[in-house]
Amino acid sequence: MDVTAALRWIGSIDGTLELVDQRLLPIEFTHLNIDNIPDLYDAIKTLAVRGAPAIGVSAAYGLVIALQQDGLSDINAALKTLQDQAAYLATSRPTAVNLFWALNRVQTFAENWVTGHAGAGVDEFRQAVLGEAHAICREDIVMCKRIGEHGAAVVPEDGAVLTHCNAGALATAGQGTALSVFFEAHRQGKSFKVYADETRPLLQGARLTAWELQHAGIDTVLICDNMAGWLMKQGKINAVVTGADRIAANGDAANKIGTYSVSVLAARHKIPFYIAAPSSTFDLSLATGAEIEIEERDSREITHPGERQWAPEGIAVSNPAFDVVDAADIAGIITEHGIIEKPNTERVAQHFAENG
């Protein structure tokens, strides 16, 4: 297993899901072996596995795990168990749409399979569900590669790109979304630098992105979140590329908290701002980003980082995990099918109409 691979399935229908425990990086590189739904729920909730695509793939495999329990007498009982556990896993985190996309896809597949295989055995059903989870994982790997290939063109030769949070291999089943752009540009022999925001309060940029880029041999500079604007003013940043956790039909994009601020700074300094994300991250049921539910996380992530108290006892805390970039400030959304230039409702719809 490559050290930057976030997850993998081990075994067949009675197998386990192996996850890199991202809460411990970069100091410790350890794995979690998930063999029950409560542990997977906890891994998603506590960010042991994180990044919209990785959460989605993990949830798909979670429904395979859901079918490992005893007492599933027939495929209808197994289907009911799968549906119940899908509903439970869907409550783990509210913003990243890939979670719901993957759960819905496997659930729809399972329902259709049962309809078309009356009288089939439970193990045959379980094998079919595992096959669908594997398909989701394989597709994510291909999508990541294609996003990088399409996006490499936006990386300026001998320039510098800023990224925020982590949208690399640790956030997907493949080589990432935003970081895939850098990996492919690097493979093409381009000379460039990446500035990685630390990404408060959980430091995904410092702990994960800097680690991935350094491991790949890419020239990387770690900065505090509040340094980006000053570097832009000095002309040291030529483009911004980030990932996304949910994209509305008009191109508004939710990403890790702080991304909105970066987009406003980029617009102020006339620096192109790009989102890199697979088609599965779009939620076309939402007209604009104003409809995206924003997760509010535990105040202790701010007041007690690393379990050390940094704030006065009893202080009020706001800890939204995401914010939303206005489509008007996005130069392009890089998907596995190409780049949606200056996204809006019409261009997003056209992109999906042309690519299915």
Side-chain angles (χ1 to χ4, degrees):
M1 183 178 183
D2 186 270
V3 294
T4 56
L7 58 93
R8 68 169 176 169
W9 182 261
I10 301 174
S12 186
I13 56 175
D14 290 313
T16 60
L17 177 62
E18 183 180 83
L19 302 173
V20 173
D21 189 343
Q22 298 186 39
R23 298 167 298 189
L24 304 179
L25 288 170
I27 307 304
E28 293 183 46
F29 184 81
T30 61
H31 294 100
L32 299 171
N33 286 297
I34 305 295
D35 61 4
N36 64 82
I37 294 298
D39 282 354
L40 177 57
Y41 185 100
D42 182 70
I44 295 172
K45 187 74 174 177
T46 65
L47 310 188
V49 60
R50 39 140 309 278
I55 291 172
V57 175
S58 297
Y61 282 125
L63 297 184
V64 180
I65 293 171
L67 297 176
Q68 293 175 352
Q69 63 181 271
D70 296 330
L72 299 179
S73 56
D74 56 46
I75 59 173
N76 289 315
L79 177 60
K80 180 63 166 57
T81 295
L82 183 148
Q83 293 167 330
D84 290 345
Q85 294 306 307
Y88 172 64
L89 285 173
T91 66
S92 57
R93 296 195 70 188
T95 302
V97 73
N98 299 66
L99 169 65
F100 312 104
W101 172 85
L103 291 171
N104 290 338
R105 173 168 160 176
V106 174
Q107 187 168 319
T108 299
F109 169 85
E111 291 166 354
N112 291 337
W113 193 93
V114 168
T115 299
H117 294 78
V122 172
D123 281 355
E124 188 180 356
F125 174 59
R126 294 170 62 201
Q127 192 65 54
V129 172
L130 176 60
E132 185 67 3
H134 280 328
I136 291 173
C137 185
R138 288 193 301 268
E139 289 168 19
D140 190 70
I141 293 169
V142 172
M143 285 191 294
C144 288
K145 177 73 171 173
R146 290 177 177 169
I147 286 170
E149 291 169 347
H150 289 299
V154 310
V155 176
E157 181 71 45
D158 296 321
V161 186
L162 175 74
T163 193
H164 186 77
C165 198
N166 174 262
L170 291 169
T172 67
Q175 65 178 19
T177 55
L179 296 200
S180 179
V181 170
F182 306 146
F183 295 148
E184 289 300 320
H186 184 63
R187 290 189 186 104
Q188 293 173 11
K190 278 191 172 183
S191 174
F192 62 96
K193 178 181 296 184
V194 176
Y195 285 97
D197 280 341
E198 61 178 349
T199 320
R200 288 277 293 144
L202 296 180
L203 303 177
Q204 293 97 327
R207 296 188 302 105
L208 308 177
T209 296
W211 182 73
E212 282 199 58
L213 293 174
Q214 184 182 63
H215 179 75
I218 294 174
D219 185 6
T220 306
V221 179
L222 177 64
I223 62 172
C224 295
D225 292 357
N226 57 5
M227 297 174 182
W230 180 239
L231 292 175
M232 290 179 182
K233 186 173 183 178
Q234 293 179 301
K236 292 185 176 181
I237 294 172
N238 308 108
V240 179
V241 181
T242 76
D245 288 81
R246 187 180 295 220
I247 304 173
N250 72 334
D252 291 349
N255 194 51
K256 184 57 59 182
I257 191 72
T259 308
Y260 170 74
S261 300
V262 171
S263 72
V264 171
L265 287 167
R268 169 67 175 80
H269 294 91
K270 297 180 173 56
I271 297 169
F273 181 102
Y274 294 93
I275 293 287
S279 297
S280 56
T281 299
F282 284 79
D283 186 347
L284 301 182
S285 72
L286 305 183
T288 74
E291 300 174 56
I292 297 175
E293 181 180 356
I294 300 299
E295 177 183 7
E296 183 78 21
R297 293 188 60 81
D298 191 337
S299 63
R300 288 182 65 86
E301 292 179 350
I302 293 177
T303 62
H304 291 73
E307 297 305 315
R308 178 179 177 182
Q309 184 171 338
W310 282 15
E313 194 71 39
I315 191 70
V317 173
S318 176
N319 187 19
F322 303 92
D323 53 27
V324 180
V325 177
D326 296 334
D329 291 331
I330 300 174
I333 300 176
I334 307 162
T335 79
E336 70 273 23
H337 301 300
I339 302 178
I340 307 172
E341 304 281 356
K342 297 180 180 178
N344 57 28
T345 302
E346 181 181 356
R347 289 173 179 163
V348 170
Q350 181 182 359
H351 184 77
F352 277 87
E354 292 175 351
N355 297 289

